[in-house]
């Protein structure tokens, strides 16, 4: 199957994925990257790709036999196709992710208060294991620092945050780091979102922890600064079938005059049994 016509139509560097490896990984690459060609497979055609991109600003070009057909993802679901071979998925803009490492300095993110410190963020990323082909939810995302870092590592990301001011910051932070993060300005409505592979809950609110655990992602990480939230969050993860571990962080940074005061945080993480 040749995809050269679609490469030319893209007009920018493209990622190529094979739907034979599964619909979800292919969709997550389309959700995370600005230009993706999906080689279609039996049972996975333009309709399935279009339906899976609801909520993301994308346009499709379908290679249907010898013809290239531009189509909105919603229309790809209902249109009749003759012999579709591949689909080009394009975002409005090209994302230019930087390659300057991960666990970026705290001041790399605009924030109303403090962001989760780089030292702690590095540990969170290790537990979430973001990579191309997976979807991460960043719930109660705040400034979106964790979600942006996951996107920089190639994952598709949905940031859920009810504070409209913080949502603006998430969009700004994602743009500053050349990634696409879908922002949901609301409380977590899990049934309306595509199922994640990993979830980060940025505050230990019990309702958010329970809702996140209920979707049965392979990995869930919870950050809390309140001692009284630790045991309820742990119990909620265990009740949902997770093996739970935790650590209390008090990392303080060295300054010329000594150590900077630390903001203590407890991290819980669960792996699905």
């Amino acid at each position: 199957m040749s995809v050269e016509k679609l490469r030319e139509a893209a007009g920018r560097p493209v990622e190529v994925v094979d739907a034979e490896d599964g619909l979800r990984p292919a969709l997550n690459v389309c959700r995370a990257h600005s230009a993706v060609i999906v080689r279609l497979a039996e049972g996975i055609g333009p309709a399935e790709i279009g339906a899976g991109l609801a909520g993301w600003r994308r346009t499709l070009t379908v290679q249907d036999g010898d013809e290239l057909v531009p189509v909105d993802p919603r229309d790809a679901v209902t249109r009749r196709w003759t012999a579709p071979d591949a689909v080009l998925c394009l975002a409005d803009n090209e994302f230019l992710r930087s390659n300057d490492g991960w666990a970026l300095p705290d001041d790399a993110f605009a924030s109303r208060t403090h962001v989760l410190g780089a030292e702690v963020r590095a540990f969170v990323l290790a537990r979430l294991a973001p990579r191309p082909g997976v979807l991460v939810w960043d719930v109660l995302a705040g400034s979106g620092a964790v979600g942006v870092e996951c996107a920089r590592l190639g994952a598709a990301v949905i940031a859920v945050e009810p504070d409209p001011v913080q949502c603006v910051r998430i969009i700004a932070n994602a743009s500053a780091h050349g990634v696409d993060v879908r922002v949901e300005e609301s409380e977590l409505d899990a049934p309306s979102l595509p199922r994640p592979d990993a979830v980060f809950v940025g505050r230990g609110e019990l309702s958010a922890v329970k809702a996140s655990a209920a979707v049965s992602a392979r990995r869930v990480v919870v950050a809390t600064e309140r001692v009284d939230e630790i045991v309820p969050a742990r119990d909620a993860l265990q009740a949902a079938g997770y093996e739970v571990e935790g650590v209390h962080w008090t990392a303080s940074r060295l300054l010329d005059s000594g150590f900077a005061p630390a903001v203590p945080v407890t991290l819980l993480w669960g792996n699905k049994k």
Side-chain angles (χ1 to χ4, degrees):
M1 180 191 305
S2 173
V3 295
E4 293 310 310
K5 288 184 178 180
L6 290 178
R7 286 185 186 275
E8 293 176 7
R12 65 180 81 158
V14 297
E15 302 285 334
V16 180
V17 297
D18 197 329
E20 290 282 0
D21 297 328
L23 175 60
R24 285 182 61 197
L27 284 173
N28 287 332
V29 175
C30 291
R31 293 161 176 163
H33 292 264
S34 66
V36 180
I37 295 173
V38 181
R39 293 190 176 102
L40 302 176
E42 185 176 354
I44 300 176
E48 287 72 23
I49 300 298
L53 292 173
W56 277 266
R57 296 176 63 181
R58 298 292 187 270
T59 58
L60 303 180
T61 299
V62 179
Q63 184 172 310
D64 194 13
D66 293 330
E67 187 179 6
L68 296 186
V69 183
V71 64
D72 184 274
R74 291 170 296 183
D75 296 332
V77 176
T78 57
R79 181 170 179 143
R80 295 178 65 89
W81 301 99
T82 305
D85 291 327
V87 173
L88 169 65
C89 174
L90 284 180
D92 292 346
N93 301 307
E94 184 175 356
F95 313 136
L96 300 174
R97 292 198 304 269
S98 59
N99 295 314
D100 51 351
W102 51 289
L104 299 177
D106 299 356
D107 60 8
F109 302 96
S111 178
R112 180 167 54 198
T113 54
H114 69 278
V115 300
L116 198 66
E119 301 84 1
V120 182
R121 215 177 321 120
F123 189 87
V124 169
L125 293 170
R127 295 303 175 189
L128 291 173
R131 60 193 184 279
V134 307
L135 174 62
V136 178
W137 288 359
D138 186 1
V139 178
L140 299 177
S143 67
V146 169
V148 169
E149 294 247 43
C150 288
R152 293 180 70 250
L153 293 170
V157 177
I158 300 175
V160 180
E161 171 56 57
D163 184 338
V165 176
Q166 290 286 55
C167 288
V168 172
R169 288 192 176 95
I170 296 169
I171 294 169
N173 285 326
S175 177
H177 292 285
V179 296
D180 187 26
V181 172
R182 173 178 163 184
V183 178
E184 294 292 318
E185 185 184 318
S186 65
E187 301 290 346
L188 177 60
D189 180 18
S192 70
L193 302 176
R195 182 172 171 267
D197 300 279
V199 181
F200 174 67
V201 186
R203 301 189 292 277
E205 294 182 10
L206 186 57
S207 60
V209 175
K210 287 183 174 180
S212 298
V215 300
S216 297
R218 292 183 61 186
R219 296 170 295 278
V220 178
V221 180
V222 179
T224 176
E225 296 177 4
R226 287 176 44 186
V227 174
D228 62 339
E229 292 175 333
I230 297 171
V231 171
R234 180 203 62 188
D235 292 348
L237 292 174
Q238 289 178 335
Y242 287 90
E243 295 179 345
V244 182
E245 298 180 79
V247 65
H248 185 70
W249 280 87
T250 55
S252 299
R253 294 176 184 167
L254 179 64
L255 304 176
D256 291 340
S257 58
F259 286 93
V263 177
V265 60
T266 298
L267 295 178
L268 302 174
W269 63 94
N271 294 306
K272 200 68 176 176
K273 295 179 182 178

